[in-house]
Amino acid sequence: MYIIEKIIRIFSKLKKRENNIIIPNEENEPELEDILTCKHTFLPVDSTGEVLACTKCGYLVTKDRLKINRDSV
């Protein structure tokens, strides 16, 4: 039973890692300017609440990254 529980936990961790968000790079410079000047208001995109999007510019961020940024300010 212990081995089955360990396998399930490892599988669920690997599944969560596959949901990475791609952040725009230098190719989308006009979008980056909007992201930098926007005063963000984030709302959840889906029912899990892990991915948040700005209501004004559409910038995507994970819940964990938002917490890290707020703690450092």
Side-chain angles (χ1 to χ4, degrees):
M1 191 66 170
Y2 176 75
I3 296 172
I4 295 172
E5 290 176 2
K6 282 292 190 180
I7 292 172
I8 291 172
R9 287 183 186 164
I10 291 171
F11 179 74
S12 65
K13 285 181 183 179
L14 291 174
K15 190 174 181 182
K16 287 182 182 178
R17 287 185 188 169
E18 294 175 359
N19 296 334
N20 293 340
I21 299 173
I22 299 172
I23 299 174
N25 55 11
E26 295 177 13
E27 296 172 1
N28 301 328
E29 289 182 22
E31 292 180 14
L32 286 177
E33 291 177 8
D34 292 339
I35 292 170
L36 295 175
T37 59
C38 180
K39 296 196 184 278
H40 300 296
T41 305
F42 290 106
L43 291 176
V45 174
D46 56 358
S47 61
T48 61
E50 291 296 317
V51 179
L52 305 171
C54 177
T55 58
K56 300 173 186 173
C57 67
Y59 179 63
L60 293 174
V61 67
T62 61
K63 190 174 188 179
D64 297 333
R65 185 171 176 175
L66 186 63
K67 285 181 184 178
I68 291 170
N69 289 342
R70 286 190 178 174
D71 291 340
S72 66
V73 174

